[in-house]
Amino acid sequence: MSNKSHYNSGHIAMNRLAKSGTKHSSAVESLHIKKTYHALYINDAIEFLKTIPDNSIQLVLIDPPYNLDLEVWDSFPDYLSWAKQWLDHLCRILTDKGNCVIFGGFQFQDLKQGDLLEILHYARHCTNLRLVNLIIWYYKNGMSSHRFFANRHEEAIWLSKTKNYYFDLDSVRVPYSEEAKKAALRDKRLVPENIEKGKNPTNVWEIGRLNGNSTERVGHPTQKPLELIRRFVKALSYEGSVVLDFFAGSGTTGRVCIEENRHSILVDSDISLKDYFEKHRAKMNMSSLAPYEIMEEVELFEYFDKIKNCNNVLSV
């Protein structure tokens, strides 16, 4: 049976653009960024979101509390009512090409806990956000179970503000094996230049969880791997854009943004964010980084002014 994806009108249109060398309407003019700015805030997420200017954020990347009573910050009497308050701000603060990624899970057994299915239902029916992809983060290590099939994955939903969302597949392609590359090059429906760049990583990502002795660890109990966060940052934002994480936890998003030449805003109600982030910075290879500046509790208008002036000067 033939692959029906090759008869999809959107897929055909994208292939035509690739073959003609024409950029998609969501493409962004390149910026040569010599310095990035990273703002840290110890604040309540919902209160902070009220202060963010409209259309100012390219990527919201969050791993919200799941209401598992792990810590004080992970306990809510009515989880969905709380989540609705921050979900209602996302469309307003995102740019027209903006994206939002929300980590979560469908494995929770009662409504008290944070279920991504409930968040997705509200986002689709009560906001103007659009579901682009469900990403499955697959890992081989995890807890065993005797009353259900042991869980070996988490989910993340990718939402966009408009159909004109930014997406850079080339930045996250994975190499073909030599045998698979030869087979792909024989398929006349595929673009040879894209095959040389690598293949689409699909929406199932096999990335190991952080072990207790992982060198990436900085002490936060729910820290996500750098590789996982990096793929989202590279694919859904561009150099010089602003990435917001208002459940910043260990500050992994900020570290990746420094390394990938994005600006970032990190917000968390736990003051430990500052210590975790300092540990991240100590682990970075400073010799390979462009200059960056950390700004704690700075006024947002000052932060965005710095970015605007930097990007205006360095546009190419």
Side-chain angles (χ1 to χ4, degrees):
M1 183 176 179
S2 61
N3 184 343
K4 291 185 177 180
S5 68
H6 292 294
Y7 297 97
N8 178 277
S9 59
H11 186 91
I12 293 171
M14 291 301 295
N15 269 344
R16 285 175 178 168
L17 288 175
K19 289 178 179 178
S20 67
T22 304
K23 291 184 178 181
H24 189 265
S25 58
S26 63
V28 174
E29 289 299 318
S30 61
L31 295 168
H32 181 56
I33 304 300
K34 292 185 177 179
K35 184 176 183 179
T36 56
Y37 296 91
H38 307 272
L40 273 70
Y41 300 89
I42 305 304
N43 205 338
D44 174 76
I46 296 166
E47 292 304 311
F48 186 83
L49 283 169
K50 295 175 183 177
T51 69
I52 296 180
D54 296 357
N55 308 308
S56 60
I57 306 297
Q58 169 55 35
L59 173 61
V60 171
L61 180 54
I62 53 174
D63 184 15
Y66 297 169
N67 214 24
L68 301 179
D69 294 323
L70 292 175
E71 298 282 355
V72 174
W73 47 260
D74 193 33
S75 182
F76 303 91
D78 186 343
Y79 184 87
L80 188 57
S81 293
W82 167 76
K84 289 176 181 178
Q85 296 179 70
W86 48 263
L87 284 164
D88 286 342
H89 282 280
L90 297 182
C91 260
R92 179 185 66 78
I93 66 175
L94 286 173
T95 67
D96 286 344
K97 296 181 182 181
N99 296 299
C100 173
V101 173
I102 306 174
F103 284 97
F106 295 159
Q107 70 269 30
F108 303 121
Q109 297 177 354
D110 60 67
L111 289 177
K112 178 182 181 298
Q113 295 174 332
D115 195 319
L116 192 60
L117 185 62
E118 296 292 326
I119 289 176
L120 177 58
H121 184 273
Y122 181 80
R124 295 190 75 182
H125 291 274
C126 301
T127 77
N128 290 324
L129 294 167
R130 305 172 64 259
L131 176 64
V132 182
N133 257 154
L134 172 67
I135 309 299
I136 307 298
W137 171 31
Y138 164 64
Y139 42 79
K140 294 181 178 179
N141 55 326
M143 298 288 289
S144 60
S145 175
H146 299 285
R147 289 284 290 154
F148 51 86
F149 297 111
N151 189 56
R152 288 296 180 272
H153 77 277
E154 292 182 32
E155 297 88 6
I157 52 174
W158 166 18
L159 307 167
S160 71
K161 181 172 180 175
T162 69
K163 292 181 179 180
N164 202 34
Y165 55 84
Y166 178 83
F167 179 51
D168 182 6
L169 174 60
D170 288 349
S171 68
V172 294
R173 289 181 184 271
V174 295
Y176 283 94
S177 67
E178 286 304 314
E179 184 178 344
K181 182 188 285 188
K182 289 177 183 177
L185 287 170
R186 289 195 295 268
D187 189 335
K188 301 303 180 184
R189 296 167 297 185
L190 302 179
V191 181
E193 291 80 2
N194 286 343
I195 296 171
E196 293 298 333
K197 294 176 185 176
K199 60 184 175 180
N200 188 314
T202 79
N203 71 329
V204 179
W205 300 353
E206 184 178 343
I207 298 172
R209 297 174 73 191
L210 298 183
N211 295 321
N213 59 354
S214 169
T215 57
E216 287 185 23
R217 282 217 170 267
V218 297
H220 193 277
T222 62
Q223 183 179 336
K224 292 292 191 290
L226 288 168
E227 183 182 352
L228 180 67
I229 301 302
R230 194 180 310 279
R231 187 172 286 182
F232 281 121
V233 168
K234 291 178 70 173
L236 306 185
S237 71
Y238 50 90
E239 290 196 24
S241 63
V242 180
V243 179
L244 167 67
D245 185 348
F246 51 84
F247 299 116
S250 72
T252 302
T253 298
R255 172 178 174 175
V256 170
C257 286
I258 291 173
E259 294 174 338
E260 300 299 335
N261 240 19
R262 275 71 169 167
H263 307 290
S264 71
I265 302 175
L266 306 180
V267 185
D268 203 280
S269 60
D270 188 350
I271 196 170
S272 298
L273 166 64
K274 295 183 179 182
D275 292 332
Y276 293 140
F277 192 49
E278 281 304 305
K279 291 178 182 178
H280 268 305
R281 292 174 62 199
K283 294 174 182 288
M284 295 190 298
N285 181 2
M286 301 301 293
S287 64
S288 63
L289 299 177
Y292 68 92
E293 181 177 337
I294 306 298
M295 309 170 73
E296 294 190 14
E297 307 295 338
V298 66
E299 293 288 345
L300 276 176
F301 73 85
E302 181 182 343
Y303 172 78
F304 281 108
D305 274 350
K306 280 184 174 288
I307 290 174
K308 181 180 179 181
N309 292 336
C310 174
N311 287 359
N312 282 344
V313 169
L314 298 176
S315 296
V316 296

